[in-house]
Amino acid sequence: MIEIIRNAANSIAAKLLLGLLVLSFVVWGVGGWLRSGQYTAVAEVEDREIGLLDYRREFQQQLAAFRGAIDLQTARAMGLEQMVLGSMLRRTALDLEAQSLGLSAPDPRVAEFIRTAPRFAAPGGAFEETRYEFFLANQGMRRGEFETQVRRDITRDLLLRSVAQGAIAPRIAFEQVWLRANERRDLAFAIVSPAAVDAPPAPSEQDLAAFHEAQAERFTAPEYRTVRLLWLRAEDRAEPDLVAEDRIRARYDARGDEFNRPERRNLEQIVFDEEAEAVDAAARLANGEAFEKIAEDRGLSADDVALGYVAKSDLEALRPEVAEQAFGETDSGAVGPIETPTGWTVINIRGRIPAVVTPFDEARDALAREIAIEDARSDLADAANAIEDLRAAGASFEEIAEKEDVVLKTVTLDRSGLDEDGKQTPDLPRDQALLTRTFELEIGEEMDLEELPSQEFYAVEIAEVTPAALRPLDTVRERVEAAWTASKRREAAAAKASELVEAIQSGEAFAAAVEAAGLSIATVEGVLRAGESAPLPTALIEAAFDAEIGAPLNAEIPASDASAEAPAGAHVVAVVRAVAPAAPEDGEAAIDAQANAAGAGIEADMANLFAAAALSEREATTNPQAVEAALIAGPGGAHQGNY
C-alpha cells in the first residue's frame, strides 16, 4: 500500500487530482505564507511543517531515479518540484488524518520493518547494525527521525488499506468481454476479382475525356519549382594534387590494418589429455563424424570449443605449435592431433577470410582525396563568410559562384523532391528543410545560407514556379485509358458480387450460386472477432460477427488488405457456416488477471481520492521562496537512497 501512495499518479483520475493540487498551489500557495531570512520549511499543513531539508532530500531522490537522464533544469521544467511538494503535502494530510483517528503503528511493527528491510541485511540475510548506521549517515538522518518516518509510512499504509482494500471490479463484465473477444466463426467465401470479369469495350474519346476530367486529381502535375542552388562543400573544393606525398604515406602507414589484413580463419579446438583420445577423435572426424558431436560427447558446448576468427600471428602468440598446422595448406576441416604443453589438440577449420593486401600505389589517390577534402573542410567557414559578404553587397548567385569557386546548379523539383519525370532529383544537399524552404519562398527570393551537420553550406533562389495543373489528355492518354479500364473492371466485379448476394438472398444455396457464377469456394475456420484471416478484409470479418448463419456478406478489398490472390478492388462474398462460442472455463486465468488488475486500479484511485480529500479539508500553505532556496542549495544537503 505504501507503493500505492508513492506511485499515486498512475491512474487518469489521480493525474487529474494531481493537476488540481498543483493548480491550487499556484492560486493560494504563493501568497499564503512568505517568510524572510533563513527558511526551515517549504510548506505547512495545519500546524505541521514540511521541512526544507526533508523536501530537498526527497527531490534529490526523485531526480536520482532518472539515473542522470535529466538535469535539474529539465526536472524543474517537467514540474518535478511541484510533484514532489504535492506528494509530501498529501502524505502530511494523511498523517494528520491518522492522528485525528488515533492511529499509529506500534513499535514492534516499526522494528520488524527495519529488521527485515533488504537494504540492511548482511549477505546471509540477517539484519546488520552497521549497514543501518551507514544508511542513516548517508541520508543525513538521526535514528529517531528515520524511525518516525517509517512509523508514519506504515500508519498511512494501514489507513489507506482500510479505505481502499476490498475494492473489486465486477468479474462478470470482464468475462463477457473475454467471451465476446474469443468467439470464433467458420466462413465460406468466394473472391470476385476485377481481372476475372470480362474486359469492357474500348473506350471512346468522349469516355476518356470525361474520365480524365472527373479524375483530374489523378492526372494533375504537382507544383514544380525551378531553383538555383548555391552549394559550398569540401569535395568540390578539394585539390588532391596539392597534398604532399609524405602526408599520404603517413596516412597509409597509420591505417596499415585497413590496407593489409592477414588471412583469418574461424577455428574450433578440443584439447585431450591422452594422445589415444585425440587420435580416436581425428579418426572419427576423418570418417565424416561432426566436430560438434565429438565436443558434445566430452560435455563441451559450442562456446567452449570456439576460438573464432583469428590470424596466424594471434595464434602464434598463444599456441605456436598449433598455428603452423591450423594455417597450413588445409583450409577447411579437421587438423591434428597436435601435441601442446596442455595436451593433444584437434583443430577444426570452419571457414576463412582471405588476406587483403592493398599496395600504397592503389590506395594513394583515394587517400590524397580524403586528405584534400579534410583540408578544404577546414576553410569552409571562411568561404561561407565571404559568400555572405558578397550577397550583402548585392552579388548574384552567378557572380558568387565564379568568385568563390562554389557549385551553382539549376534543378526543377516538386514537394517530394521528384523531377518532372517523377524521378528522385540527384545530388542535392541532404536536408529536408531544403524542400520546405523552396516551397515557402517567392520568385526571385533567396534563403539565407544554411549550414548542415556535414559542414556543408547551401542557399537557394527561386527562378520559376510552375503551378499544379491538369496534364493534357494527349500527354497521359495511356494512363487515362488504363485507369478507365481498371475502373470499369472494378465496377463489373462489384456488380457481379451484388448479383451473387442477391441470388443467395433469394434462397439459392451458396455453393450453387458460386458455381453458377464461375467462381470457386474457399473456407476459413476459427476466425476471431479481432483476428486477421487473409484474404478476408477486416470489414467483412467484423460484419461476420453480426450476421446470421447462411446470411451473405459482401466487402471490397481495400489496398491495405490487398494480395496477389485478392487484389485491391476485388470483392469477397461470404457466408457464416458455424459459430463456436467461447467457453468461460478456458479463459479463467485471463479473466481473473484482468479483473484483478482493474481492482488494483480502483484501489489506487480510491487511495488517491481519500488523500486528496484529506488535504482539501485542511488549511495548507506553501512557501515558494523556501522551495527555491532548497533547490538552489543543490545536492549538498541531500543524500540519495531509499529504505
Side-chain angles (χ1 to χ4, degrees), residues 21-92:
L21 285 170
V22 172
L23 180 62
S24 68
F25 303 153
V26 175
V27 173
W28 45 256
V30 173
W33 177 34
L34 299 177
R35 296 180 178 176
S36 59
Q38 296 296 317
Y39 305 112
T40 60
V42 296
E44 193 174 90
V45 181
E46 291 186 348
D47 59 349
R48 181 169 295 183
E49 292 185 343
I50 297 176
L52 183 145
L53 293 180
D54 293 333
Y55 173 78
R56 181 189 300 162
R57 180 188 299 115
E58 182 152 341
F59 180 88
Q60 288 296 327
Q61 288 176 352
Q62 295 297 327
L63 183 60
F66 288 95
R67 300 184 182 277
I70 62 172
D71 56 15
L72 175 62
Q73 182 177 359
T74 304
R76 298 190 67 176
M78 291 168 53
L80 183 62
E81 60 191 274
Q82 291 292 350
M83 285 189 280
V84 170
L85 185 57
S87 175
M88 297 183 77
L89 282 166
R90 291 195 302 277
R91 295 205 305 269
T92 303

Side-chain angles (χ1 to χ4, degrees), residues 499-517:
E499 292 171 1
L500 184 55
V501 169
E502 290 173 3
I504 299 168
Q505 288 174 334
S506 66
E508 189 172 354
F510 178 75
V514 170
E515 183 178 356

Side-chain angles (χ1 to χ4, degrees), residues 417-491:
L418 303 179
D419 63 19
E420 293 170 298
D421 294 326
K423 298 178 180 178
Q424 193 68 42
T425 307
D427 202 23
L428 290 178
R430 296 181 180 179
D431 186 13
Q432 182 59 38
L434 171 62
L435 293 175
T436 302
R437 295 299 310 280
T438 293
F439 282 83
E440 291 175 346
L441 302 174
E442 303 294 335
I443 293 179
E445 190 176 359
E446 301 175 2
M447 66 176 283
D448 293 335
L449 201 62
E450 185 76 21
E451 182 178 5
L452 299 177
S454 57
Q455 295 179 293
E456 300 174 18
F457 296 83
Y458 76 90
V460 297
E461 177 186 46
I462 306 304
E464 183 180 355
V465 175
T466 303
L470 178 63
R471 293 184 172 97
L473 177 58
D474 288 344
T475 65
V476 289
R477 181 176 297 276
E478 289 185 3
R479 286 178 52 198
V480 174
E481 185 169 352
W484 181 90
T485 301
S487 175
K488 291 301 179 183
R489 282 184 174 276
R490 291 174 71 139
E491 290 175 6

Side-chain angles (χ1 to χ4, degrees), residues 196-481:
V197 301
D198 295 335
S204 66
E205 190 67 18
Q206 291 77 13
D207 291 334
L208 292 181
F211 188 81
H212 176 248
E213 183 177 348
Q215 300 290 323
E217 71 281 358
R218 300 174 63 178
F219 309 109
T220 295
E223 177 184 342
Y224 286 101
R225 297 245 169 157
T226 300
V227 302
R228 281 192 288 273
L229 171 68
L230 201 64
W231 196 358
L232 175 63
R233 55 181 184 173
E235 46 262 56
D236 296 322
R237 300 166 67 86
E239 297 181 286
D241 294 342
L242 300 183
V243 179
E245 195 72 10
D246 59 343
R247 294 182 64 194
I248 304 173
R249 172 64 72 172
R251 178 70 60 93
Y252 177 83
D253 292 341
R255 288 159 55 182
D257 291 344
E258 176 183 336
F259 298 110
N260 297 284
R261 293 196 297 271
E263 176 190 4
R264 304 179 74 84
R265 295 193 175 189
N266 187 6
L267 305 179
E268 297 173 322
Q269 73 167 3
I270 300 177
V271 179
F272 299 87
D273 294 331
E274 302 294 335
E275 180 181 7
E277 295 177 327
V279 171
D280 178 65
R284 290 167 62 188
L285 291 168
N287 289 328
E289 192 165 346
F291 193 85
E292 292 82 356
K293 180 63 170 62
I294 296 175
E296 182 182 341
D297 289 347
R298 297 185 63 81
L300 301 174
S301 68
D303 290 339
D304 293 332
V305 301
L307 295 178
Y309 279 96
V310 296
K312 184 178 182 180
S313 57
D314 298 331
L315 198 55
E316 284 177 334
L318 299 172
R319 294 285 183 86
E321 62 280 349
V322 173
E324 195 63 37
Q325 293 195 46
F327 282 84
E329 293 183 3
T330 301
D331 59 8
S332 65
V335 175
I338 308 164
E339 186 177 7
T340 70
T342 57
W344 293 83
T345 298
V346 175
I347 293 290
N348 186 43
I349 306 170
R350 294 184 60 88
R352 62 186 290 268
I353 300 175
V356 175
V357 178
T358 305
F360 174 75
D361 290 343
E362 292 182 16
R364 184 195 176 286
D365 290 347
L367 291 173
R369 178 161 179 75
E370 181 182 294
I371 295 171
I373 289 174
E374 293 174 3
D375 292 344
R377 186 171 288 121
S378 65
D379 298 329
L380 287 185
D382 291 339
N385 290 331
I387 290 171
E388 289 290 31
D389 290 342
L390 289 171
R391 295 181 70 192
S396 67
F397 274 23
E398 289 78 3
E399 292 170 333
I400 293 172
E402 182 178 353
K403 290 183 179 180
E404 289 298 325
D405 190 21
V406 183
V407 170
L408 177 62
K409 60 192 308 183
T410 301
V411 295
T412 300
L413 41 74
D414 66 10
R415 292 180 184 272
S416 300
L418 303 179
D419 63 19
E420 293 170 298
D421 294 326
K423 298 178 180 178
Q424 193 68 42
T425 307
D427 202 23
L428 290 178
R430 296 181 180 179
D431 186 13
Q432 182 59 38
L434 171 62
L435 293 175
T436 302
R437 295 299 310 280
T438 293
F439 282 83
E440 291 175 346
L441 302 174
E442 303 294 335
I443 293 179
E445 190 176 359
E446 301 175 2
M447 66 176 283
D448 293 335
L449 201 62
E450 185 76 21
E451 182 178 5
L452 299 177
S454 57
Q455 295 179 293
E456 300 174 18
F457 296 83
Y458 76 90
V460 297
E461 177 186 46
I462 306 304
E464 183 180 355
V465 175
T466 303
L470 178 63
R471 293 184 172 97
L473 177 58
D474 288 344
T475 65
V476 289
R477 181 176 297 276
E478 289 185 3
R479 286 178 52 198
V480 174
E481 185 169 352

